[in-house]
Amino acid sequence: MTSDRITSVRISSVTLPLHTPISDAKVLTGRQKPMTEVALLFAEIGTESGHEGFGFGYSKRAGGPGQYAHAREIAPELIGEDPSDIDRLWTKLVWAGASVGRSGLSTQAIAAIDVALWDLKAKRAGLPLAKLIGAHRDSVRCYNTSGGFLHIPIEEVLDNTTASRERGIGGVKLKVGHPDWRVDLERVTKVREHLGDDVPLMVDANQQWDRPAAQRMCRRLDPLDLVWIEEPLDAYDHEGHAALARTFDTSIATGEMLTSVAEHAELIRAGGADIIQPDAPRIGGITQFLKLAALAEHHRLQLAPHYAMEIHLHLAATYPQEPWVEHFEWLEPLFNERMEIKDGRMLVPDRPGLGLTVSDQARAWTVDSVTVTA
């Protein structure tokens, strides 16, 4: 017997414009163009008892229309199902599209649906998502990334770090990977001097160094007392990351670009990260994130989920070791609520589920939408 059934699934494609084109090292090396928008995939699930769940995924640059098309195609598989059986439904959805793989775009389409199912389950229980899963803490250390991109002049970066600290954000991450390594070193040194020795500072090379360059840069950055050096190498160079982790005092962080638990398992097996950075929308949602988190904890790894703080705050709160969550204000216009930050930490909302409601602005940015019913 079941207490409820899924009666409707609404899938929406939403395009969020960015106020300023964004550039990291991938742009400066000519591999990508500046980012001007974020493509969002929304999933809204309704049940016969009147409960509703909301989830989202995203794509930067290409991929958003593909995620939307795949989610729209598999959504009918949910009609009539018990929304509590989330793991079984994830498996059903992944096999519905198995011919296009069990990672990447296909499972990223499932992620938005999976998040909606977890949001629904927590709302039915009257609990914040973190409490439904089982929280270790009611707040998580946070750091800001959006103020430290490579297209931003260093004087403005310094102002951004001050503003972040005044807002209560605990740490600062600075983008590196400039074609001229001297520019990187000068910018990181200035930020460290501006912040002082006690403020957590991270850097992110976005995969743009080869092994010799990464060795040299890690050696130059080691004395600056960084929390971590992120993605110094290609995301799939697990052995190269492992060599850096063994050689230098500064922790090596990576994982955001991997798109399945299986890919992360290979990274962990190689010893390629001190700090693992999974992204729930990229690896298939909360169901897969929790499986990976158990594996990461078994290997005593630190956790710092990538982006999507609105989801990852809840998940980081459930990790046994003290984690980090990444602060990006980019998605704030999509929702009526804001994450609360105090004394360097992001507070887990006490509202049921994710604690989010979709804003009128997000509805206005909707490009296409389809609703599947019985």
Side-chain angles (χ1 to χ4, degrees), residues 103-117:
S103 65
L105 185 148
S106 62
T107 48
Q108 288 165 12
I110 296 172
I113 296 170
D114 183 80
V115 173
L117 288 169

Side-chain angles (χ1 to χ4, degrees), residues 1-60:
M1 296 293 292
T2 181
S3 60
D4 212 351
R5 294 285 182 185
I6 296 172
T7 55
S8 68
V9 182
R10 181 181 184 186
I11 303 295
S12 302
S13 174
V14 179
T15 299
L16 182 154
L18 298 175
H19 294 298
T20 304
I22 303 298
S23 295
D24 58 21
K26 298 187 294 294
V27 175
L28 273 66
T29 56
R31 290 178 168 173
Q32 290 183 343
K33 296 179 180 179
M35 183 167 53
T36 59
E37 60 188 29
V38 179
L40 280 298
L41 177 65
F42 284 6
E44 295 165 272
I45 297 175
T47 74
E48 62 185 4
S49 295
H51 297 287
E52 295 181 350
F54 167 77
F56 72 92
Y58 73 94
S59 178
K60 297 176 180 177

